[in-house]
Amino acid sequence: MVHFDLEKRFLHGGDYNPDQWLDYPEILNEDIEMMQEANVNTVTVGVFSWWALEPSEGEFTFEWLDRIFDDVHKFGGNVILATPSGGRPQWLSQKYPEVNRTNSLGQKHTQGFRHNHCYSSPIYREKVRIINQKLAERYGNHPALLMWHISNEYSGECYCDYCKENWQQWLKKKYGELEEVNKAWLMSFWGNKYTDWSQVLPPSPLGEHKVHGMDLDWKRFNTDMTINFYLNEIKPIRQITPDVPVTTNFMAEGHEQHDFIPLEGIDYGKFAKYVDIVSWDSYPDWNNNYESIAETAMKSAYVHDQYWSLKQKPFLVMESTPSEVNGHQFNKSKRPGMHMLSSMQQIAHGSDSTLYFQWRQSRGNSEKFHGAVVGHDNSRENRVFKEVSEYGSRLEKISEIKGATKDSKVAIIFDWDSNWALKRGGGFGRPTRQYPQTLQEHYSVFWENDIAVDIITSEQEFDQYDLLIAPMLYLMDEKTISKLSNYVSSGGTLLSSYFTGIVNETDLVNIGGWPSELQEIFGISLKELDTLYPDEFNSLKFQGKQYQIKDYSGIIDVTQAEVMGTYQAEFYKNTPAVVKNSFGSGQAYYLAARTNRDFLKDFYKPIIEKLYLANSLINEPKFEVSVQTRIKEGVSYYFLMNFSTDTQEVVLNKTVVDIESSEIIEGKILLNSYEVRVLKE
Ligand code: GLA
Ligand code: ZN
């Protein structure tokens, strides 16, 4: 077995489904040959292979997989072995229908598609444990085994009786007494107070679905259930292969709205504590028709940085596509050169891999047109195959960077609870809450300036950051409030905004309005929050310039803070819209209104200067060119990436070496369309 930490290469390869090709031995032979030609060193196998590993209950057929392990090992490759719980065999559902999920209307699923099992079912858990144990026993000592890939893209919820029972147990553990549930969820509203635990059902459109605290707890419960199921999966794996790291692939979402943000359904901040390495599946809409390439790159960078920050350690891109995707409304091919650029961006932001879904394109069903290294033409001459192979050979040349870390002085807080609560709550503008999207707007200023940013949860440490950005932190517990207070009073710079600190952990509005600790940090009190329709605007005057305000204007009173900007219209004309407060030895800024990016850029400029956050490598950062830094053993590695089709000139402040060509570079450097240069100091 190779030890992951000793693996000196970036991982390059991806999901391999030989189980779809068992009737075509010539294809399987060719795969192994072609992998070497494509400079692939890692394959993920077994993701949906349960049917082929255990064709009937208790009958195991590993021979086909033995062969894959051996063949991959022969050419020096690694195997990431998946546990197959993402898709179960027919016999399992037929004999034990309880393993199928029940929806919120109480309808039981039948066998089909994938990712739809019950997390509570004792039989499913036991069957998963058995197959995982068999896999660990069989391959635990195989020299090609690099890592475990647990299940696939965990998601979804189940409402069966087992899950109901677990839900009630979870609540008992959290609240102790039923009366505490009634209080935490304010069940006196509409008079649905519980008098017996058995009345506390999961939320359902046919029953209770209007209690916000309940919804929030249901989301938390589902995160815990998913983690609990995962912990059951890894039990035999930890016993048999304690040194082999485990991961599970996280996701991003939002394509239909042209967004690209981490998946909202599971609290990955919590989940990340239980995996050895964070990994995720990255499918941005490259070369789309609704935004610039650099804009797509910024969004993709944001998600990478968020997954980096969960452990502040290198992560893996477990899936990405070498060409087009299949599941969006429009699935465009990446333009020539985009594969190189978009994949290098993964490495630049802290990934130690570029893995694909998938190695070989499937012939049928849902994903038959999803891009793959080997297309339906089975050709080594096509553009995609060649670009993948070229990328693999470049990765080999920069392998000294593998394992390198990052150093950020700026952090943005993203809080899953706040996001769930903001999405659920009534009032204000329902479609304009846009919490992660708003964080991305703040992020974009730093991305444009090539300043590294971590995106952390409120549970993580704040002290290592010079600037902490926490807009719209809607739900706050006392711990977070006191962490923020300590952070600022001991010298930190904090920014927050409208929609911050409004509710407690169960989504109940704070009695008496805004918590007094927050009033002290920001030196203000809150009066009202005005909602604007999408075609309504206000404006704000800041340092002599006017900026548009959209969606939200918070009306505030200044108690201590210094006014930096004021509203220009409405009944709150001339009242403060942006303020700054000295608190202890730090500074706290409050943006009462939502602005566009132009304001954020001008607003952050002096803060960036004052805190010496500017990128030290380049002189005049621009949006189209991204510079990201990874650090290893005191050496800084710079990725210069041109996210535009124009040639871009960059002026360097330092003398650097191109690690691929050994060329020494000083001063000006020209980047061609989509070009990436990897330099070191
Ligand atoms: C996800 C899944 C894969 C595949 C790809 C492509 O990331 O994990 O199995 O479905 O999407 O759509
Ligand atoms: Zn269930």
Side-chain angles (χ1 to χ4, degrees):
M1 181 199 35
V2 262
H3 197 284
F4 179 71
D5 293 335
L6 301 178
E7 173 58 77
K8 300 256 182 280
R9 311 171 282 193
F10 286 112
L11 309 184
H12 184 226
D15 276 33
Y16 178 39
N17 306 104
D19 36 321
Q20 287 174 29
W21 301 94
L22 295 178
D23 297 337
Y24 302 83
E26 66 290 357
I27 296 241
L28 296 180
N29 286 333
E30 218 183 336
D31 277 335
I32 297 294
E33 236 178 69
M34 290 172 94
M35 282 171 192
Q36 296 164 74
E37 210 170 314
N39 295 309
V40 154
N41 58 35
T42 301
V43 293
T44 303
V45 292
V47 180
F48 299 112
S49 302
W50 199 341
W51 70 274
L53 295 167
E54 192 180 359
S56 64
E57 190 172 9
E59 178 208 350
F60 297 95
T61 45
F62 292 116
E63 295 67 25
W64 66 271
L65 188 53
D66 294 349
R67 187 187 145 191
I68 304 293
F69 262 88
D70 293 344
D71 286 351
V72 171
H73 179 56
K74 262 183 232 147
F75 78 81
N78 307 308
V79 173
I80 297 178
L81 181 56
T83 66
S85 64
R88 56 190 170 278
Q90 291 279 356
W91 60 260
L92 189 50
S93 293
Q94 187 172 30
K95 184 157 176 202
Y96 310 102
E98 70 165 59
V99 304
N100 295 326
R101 205 168 272 182
T102 299
N103 71 15
S104 62
L105 301 175
Q107 296 163 324
K108 192 93 201 152
H109 289 204
T110 55
Q111 169 80 19
F113 59 109
R114 62 173 181 178
H115 301 165
N116 55 0
H117 56 267
C118 168
Y119 289 115
S120 302
S121 157
I123 288 176
Y124 200 58
R125 286 178 170 232
E126 176 59 5
K127 291 296 173 190
V128 168
R129 191 195 59 73
I130 294 171
I131 186 70
N132 292 3
Q133 179 171 333
K134 295 274 178 195
L135 286 168
E137 284 165 357
R138 186 127 185 146
Y139 301 107
N141 285 319
H142 198 287
L145 179 67
L146 182 68
M147 190 180 302
W148 288 99
H149 174 299
I150 306 301
S151 201
N152 193 58
E153 296 194 332
Y154 283 123
S155 58
E157 302 167 349
C158 176
Y159 297 78
C160 76
D161 285 347
Y162 286 121
C163 289
K164 183 182 79 186
E165 173 63 26
N166 282 333
W167 165 234
Q168 291 169 351
Q169 290 306 329
W170 186 91
L171 290 168
K172 278 182 193 163
K173 202 166 155 217
K174 177 167 180 180
Y175 292 103
E177 301 299 319
L178 187 57
E179 193 46 26
E180 294 304 313
V181 177
N182 282 320
K183 282 188 201 154
W185 296 352
L186 196 73
M187 293 307 288
S188 52
F189 179 81
W190 289 355
N192 288 306
K193 274 186 84 163
Y194 298 112
T195 53
D196 190 280
W197 277 105
S198 63
Q199 299 159 352
V200 193
L201 306 179
S204 157
L206 302 178
E208 188 58 78
H209 62 288
K210 295 282 187 191
V211 172
H212 294 174
M214 176 193 213
D215 278 0
L216 204 48
D217 275 337
W218 175 253
K219 289 261 187 320
R220 292 171 176 140
F221 162 74
N222 272 295
T223 293
D224 287 354
M225 276 309 293
T226 310
I227 294 172
N228 189 283
F229 183 87
Y230 158 89
L231 291 176
N232 173 71
E233 284 220 32
I234 66 170
K235 219 180 267 166
I237 285 172
R238 289 291 195 211
Q239 264 160 21
I240 300 165
T241 61
D243 298 329
V244 183
V246 296
T247 188
T248 186
N249 45 344
F250 294 166
M251 291 181 264
E253 63 176 292
H255 300 289
E256 303 317 331
Q257 295 75 43
H258 301 167
D259 289 336
F260 195 57
I261 52 176
L263 183 84
E264 299 181 303
I266 297 178
D267 183 341
Y268 286 150
K270 250 191 196 173
F271 207 150
K273 294 178 189 158
Y274 300 91
V275 300
D276 297 319
I277 299 170
V278 168
S279 67
W280 76 288
D281 299 343
S282 174
Y283 296 109
D285 267 338
W286 294 110
N287 298 112
N288 64 54
N289 71 343
Y290 53 82
E291 64 190 5
S292 67
I293 296 160
E295 185 71 12
T296 311
M298 180 278 291
K299 292 177 182 174
S300 145
Y302 173 91
V303 188
H304 284 308
D305 283 345
Q306 184 156 359
Y307 288 140
W308 161 272
S309 306
L310 290 176
K311 279 194 174 298
Q312 299 175 334
K313 281 207 293 205
F315 58 91
L316 300 178
V317 170
M318 188 57 85
E319 294 179 23
S320 57
T321 180
S323 50
E324 62 277 327
V325 295
N326 166 97
H328 300 179
Q329 280 306 305
F330 299 95
N331 304 280
K332 187 166 171 165
S333 308
K334 285 182 184 171
R335 304 346 254 168
M338 181 48 83
H339 180 61
M340 178 68 74
L341 176 63
S342 58
S343 305
M344 279 291 180
Q345 188 197 29
Q346 303 168 351
I347 308 292
H349 281 270
S351 174
D352 272 354
S353 71
T354 292
L355 299 167
Y356 309 116
F357 182 87
Q358 55 197 329
W359 165 253
R360 180 180 284 278
Q361 203 161 26
S362 73
R363 289 186 68 198
N365 301 332
S366 280
E367 299 190 327
K368 62 177 175 290
F369 297 120
H370 186 100
V373 181
V374 182
H376 294 137
D377 62 0
N378 198 33
S379 161
R380 309 172 195 205
E381 294 308 316
N382 75 32
R383 178 174 73 88
V384 172
F385 189 92
K386 285 186 175 160
E387 288 194 35
V388 165
S389 163
E390 192 196 336
Y391 174 66
S393 97
R394 265 192 94 178
L395 266 188
E396 283 165 20
K397 294 188 195 123
I398 64 163
S399 56
E400 65 184 272
I401 305 173
K402 198 237 155 196
T405 178
K406 303 206 292 178
D407 183 26
S408 310
K409 293 282 163 244
V410 180
I412 294 177
I413 297 182
F414 173 78
D415 178 52
W416 266 270
D417 283 345
S418 286
N419 193 35
W420 290 331
L422 275 164
K423 286 189 88 121
R424 186 63 182 85
F428 311 106
R430 286 184 179 237
T432 46
R433 302 294 171 82
Q434 304 274 29
Y435 171 50
Q437 295 81 352
T438 303
L439 300 185
Q440 242 171 26
E441 287 293 292
H442 288 259
Y443 175 86
S444 76
V445 176
F446 295 86
W447 190 78
E448 170 159 9
N449 282 292
D450 303 310
I451 297 168
V453 177
D454 282 354
I455 296 151
I456 60 173
T457 68
S458 41
E459 274 193 26
Q460 284 173 281
E461 293 303 320
F462 302 159
D463 297 347
Q464 70 210 78
Y465 301 106
D466 295 336
L467 174 62
L468 189 59
I469 300 173
M472 298 181 73
L473 197 52
Y474 175 66
L475 180 151
M476 275 197 200
D477 56 16
E478 277 164 22
K479 207 171 137 213
T480 304
I481 297 180
S482 81
K483 271 176 81 182
L484 290 175
S485 169
N486 289 337
Y487 170 77
V488 182
S489 65
S490 50
T493 300
L494 170 69
L495 174 126
S496 197
S497 75
Y498 59 94
F499 263 141
T500 291
I502 307 300
V503 298
N504 73 1
E505 331 47 314
T506 56
D507 208 353
L508 296 182
V509 178
N510 296 310
I511 297 178
W514 218 34
S516 56
E517 296 92 325
L518 292 177
Q519 301 194 27
E520 278 165 30
I521 300 174
F522 294 99
I524 56 172
S525 63
L526 303 191
K527 297 285 145 203
E528 294 180 45
L529 180 59
D530 193 21
T531 301
L532 310 183
Y533 282 90
D535 57 354
E536 276 181 339
F537 302 96
N538 198 333
S539 63
L540 125 80
K541 198 165 166 196
F542 174 78
Q543 292 173 347
K545 260 173 92 180
Q546 300 255 7
Y547 300 87
Q548 192 182 62
I549 284 173
K550 59 184 182 186
D551 304 334
Y552 295 104
S553 311
I555 307 169
I556 59 177
D557 254 359
V558 164
T559 48
Q560 283 289 326
E562 170 194 329
V563 178
M564 299 177 78
T566 49
Y567 290 108
Q568 297 303 291
E570 271 300 340
F571 65 95
Y572 40 95
K573 186 175 173 176
N574 294 329
T575 69
V578 187
V579 302
K580 171 185 174 178
N581 191 41
S582 296
F583 179 72
S585 40
Q587 310 283 330
Y589 295 85
Y590 187 87
L591 292 185
R594 185 176 286 169
T595 66
N596 296 313
R597 221 177 269 181
D598 60 341
F599 170 78
L600 294 177
K601 280 200 223 176
D602 290 349
F603 170 78
Y604 279 119
K605 200 164 182 246
I607 298 177
I608 290 170
E609 278 163 21
K610 195 174 147 231
L611 298 175
Y612 302 105
L613 300 172
N615 188 303
S616 60
L617 179 70
I618 46 151
N619 260 332
E620 281 168 19
K622 30 183 156 175
F623 197 65
E624 291 72 22
V625 176
S626 171
V627 182
Q628 298 298 326
T629 311
R630 288 185 71 172
I631 303 159
K632 192 173 173 181
E633 289 151 16
V635 179
S636 291
Y637 293 91
Y638 302 105
F639 291 77
L640 259 61
M641 297 167 278
N642 178 1
F643 287 101
S644 78
T645 49
D646 300 322
T647 302
Q648 301 285 350
E649 185 185 288
V650 179
V651 183
L652 304 181
N653 286 325
K654 297 179 182 168
T655 306
V656 289
V657 187
D658 182 309
I659 71 171
E660 292 162 277
S661 67
S662 302
E663 185 195 343
I664 295 178
I665 304 165
E666 267 178 329
K668 250 184 232 166
I669 176 169
L670 287 182
L671 293 173
N672 293 324
S673 157
Y674 295 172
E675 190 177 359
V676 185
R677 298 285 297 260
V678 187
L679 312 169
K680 78 173 168 188
E681 214 167 322

